[in-house]
């Protein structure tokens, strides 16, 4: 197993190389191949990111990390999201100001940007869905 790899991510809101990326969509194809989704996005809206695959093995995620995970709603889709809280933390939902405790074995994820929030996007997900931590943006270079 490799501990570092490169993946494609949605760069629609990527302003600089150090900015977090989001909505990385990849589908599992025949033989487990993770090929990019064929969708409306053009290749110019994609970014290349470096993934740290050692972090999930040691469970050394930190609040604020950008993580690469299987979508909780569609297990064939890969996404990147901001990790906001870890198990035992209390979080306030964006939509209704309810305070929720993150259950054991879970973390709280949110997409980047207020306009990116969709129904059910901000939620607790099992740590087992987290595949890697995004460490760097390789492409596009920062301006």
């Amino acid at each position: 197993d490799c501990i570092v790899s490169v993946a494609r991510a949605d760069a629609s809101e990527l302003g600089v190389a150090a900015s977090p990326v989001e909505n990385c969509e990849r589908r599992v194809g025949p033989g487990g191949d993770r090929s990019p989704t064929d969708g409306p996005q053009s290749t110019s809206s994609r970014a290349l990111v470096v993934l740290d695959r050692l972090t999930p093995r040691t469970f050394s995620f930190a609040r604020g990390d950008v993580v690469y995970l299987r979508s909780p709603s569609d297990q064939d889709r890969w996404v990147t999201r901001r990790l906001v809280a870890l198990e035992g933390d209390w979080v306030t939902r964006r939509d209704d100001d309810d305070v929720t405790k993150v259950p054991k074995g879970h973390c709280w994820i949110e997409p980047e940007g207020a306009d990116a929030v969709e129904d059910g996007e901000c939620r607790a997900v099992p740590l087992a869905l987290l595949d890697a931590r995004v460490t760097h943006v390789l492409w596009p270079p920062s301006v």
Side-chain angles (χ1 to χ4, degrees), residues 16-140:
V16 294
S19 294
V21 295
E22 65 181 67
N23 297 333
C24 178
E25 295 186 18
R26 298 175 72 76
R27 297 212 180 260
V28 177
D33 178 36
R34 293 182 192 169
S35 56
T37 2
D38 295 323
Q41 298 174 338
S42 68
T43 55
S44 63
S45 68
R46 307 294 277 181
L48 290 178
V49 294
V50 176
L51 302 177
D52 167 19
R53 295 189 182 274
L54 187 60
T55 301
R57 294 178 188 174
T58 59
F59 293 104
S60 56
F61 292 105
R63 290 165 199 87
D65 283 348
V66 176
V67 293
Y68 185 74
L69 68 147
R70 284 193 185 269
S71 171
S73 58
D74 179 4
Q75 294 294 304
D76 290 337
R77 194 171 130 222
W78 291 86
V79 297
T80 54
R81 296 286 186 263
R82 172 77 58 189
L83 190 146
V84 177
L86 298 168
E87 62 183 13
D89 290 347
W90 292 87
V91 294
T92 304
R93 295 177 180 261
R94 286 184 180 183
D95 51 352
D96 57 9
D97 293 334
D98 283 345
V99 177
T100 306
K101 185 175 182 179
V102 180
K104 185 173 182 167
H106 289 69
C107 65
W108 192 269
I109 60 166
E110 292 185 359
E112 286 299 310
D115 59 333
V117 178
E118 297 175 10
D119 186 34
E121 288 289 320
C122 301
R123 65 165 121 190
V125 297
L127 287 170
L129 293 180
L130 277 57
D131 187 60
R133 181 175 59 96
V134 176
T135 61
H136 297 86
V137 177
L138 297 176
W139 189 264

